[in-house]
Amino acid sequence: MPNLKAKLESEQRTEDILQSLKKLDYLSRSQLQQLHDLGQKRNANRILQQCSEFLSSFRDIENVYYLNKEGRDRVGATKIRKKTPQAKHFIMRNYIYIAFECPDDWKNEVKLGIKEKKIINKCDATFTRDKKRYIVEVDNTQTMAENKKKIEKYKAIAESGVYGSPAFIWITTTTYRQKRLMELSEGLNCQVFLLSDFY
């Protein structure tokens, strides 16, 4: 029954792709290739075309995919996503998710802080690895003044020991911003990646 086996595998792959989009909101074609071993660009495009009844897409350097109504219905997704410039923020965050091997406890948009001191930051994502907490920040459109304020709060949070000694991961768009974020984060366990590191 080779045809049945191939059909079941294809159905499972479609389900897996839709579940990834439910979790991560927007994924580029190359990100889907990595997450689901879709092979070369041509093969990936063919597979994604087979899923097209469940997907919408737009171009931003490459195709960016998100769930349409049929896709949301199939996997029980409640968040409605549309073509938007903010999608780049999600794509940047997802590069970190993939680079750190898709952590099981990855959570997006988490509030961290010291309540009694009223120091609260909402991070773009957080996960743990070897009992260490990692805090992920995407620097796409915010001002460096906003980043500076956020980092000052993170320094207070790190000093408090509430989250152990956390590590910080930033992803940004230019070498100037990368250098500035490293300077502002002096004293923190911090890595700053460039978006261009990932494609």
Side-chain angles (χ1 to χ4, degrees), residues 37-101:
D37 298 322
L38 302 185
Q40 296 301 313
K41 181 178 174 182
R42 191 171 169 184
N43 190 56
N45 286 337
R46 179 184 63 78
I47 289 165
L48 291 166
Q49 183 57 40
Q50 288 171 353
C51 303
S52 61
E53 68 180 290
F54 305 111
L55 304 177
S56 292
S57 67
F58 60 90
R59 291 284 298 176
D60 181 12
I61 303 174
E62 58 180 330
N63 277 0
V64 172
Y65 293 88
Y66 58 99
L67 296 174
N68 63 18
K69 185 180 184 308
E70 289 75 17
R72 293 195 306 273
D73 289 347
R74 174 160 167 170
V75 292
T78 53
K79 286 180 284 184
I80 298 171
R81 296 299 181 194
K82 301 279 186 192
K83 179 183 176 181
T84 168
Q86 279 74 44
K88 186 176 180 183
H89 180 97
F90 292 83
I91 295 295
M92 289 171 72
R93 179 169 64 193
N94 293 340
Y95 277 118
I96 301 298
Y97 174 75
I98 294 165
F100 282 81
E101 299 170 342

Side-chain angles (χ1 to χ4, degrees), residues 114 119-121 144-160 168 170 180-181 183-186 188:
I114 314 161
I119 299 172
I120 304 289
N121 269 343
M144 204 47 78
E146 288 174 305
N147 287 334
K148 184 178 180 181
K149 268 192 232 169
K150 202 165 207 186
I151 289 166
E152 289 307 316
K153 285 185 182 179
Y154 277 138
K155 285 182 176 178
I157 290 166
E159 277 173 28
S160 76
F168 296 86
W170 286 79
R180 191 77 188 101
L181 286 166
E183 287 167 358
L184 290 170
S185 299
E186 191 178 351
L188 293 174

Side-chain angles (χ1 to χ4, degrees), residues 179-197:
K179 184 168 179 268
R180 191 77 188 101
L181 286 166
M182 283 303 292
E183 287 167 358
L184 290 170
S185 299
E186 191 178 351
L188 293 174
N189 178 356
C190 182
Q191 287 176 280
V192 184
F193 293 99
L194 283 171
L195 178 56
S196 59
D197 291 336

Side-chain angles (χ1 to χ4, degrees), residues 4 8 52 61 105 119 125 129 138 145 161 173 176 181 197 199:
L4 179 61
L8 289 171
S52 61
I61 303 174
D105 65 344
I119 299 172
R129 171 75 46 88
V138 175
T173 50
Y176 166 76
L181 286 166
D197 291 336
Y199 61 80

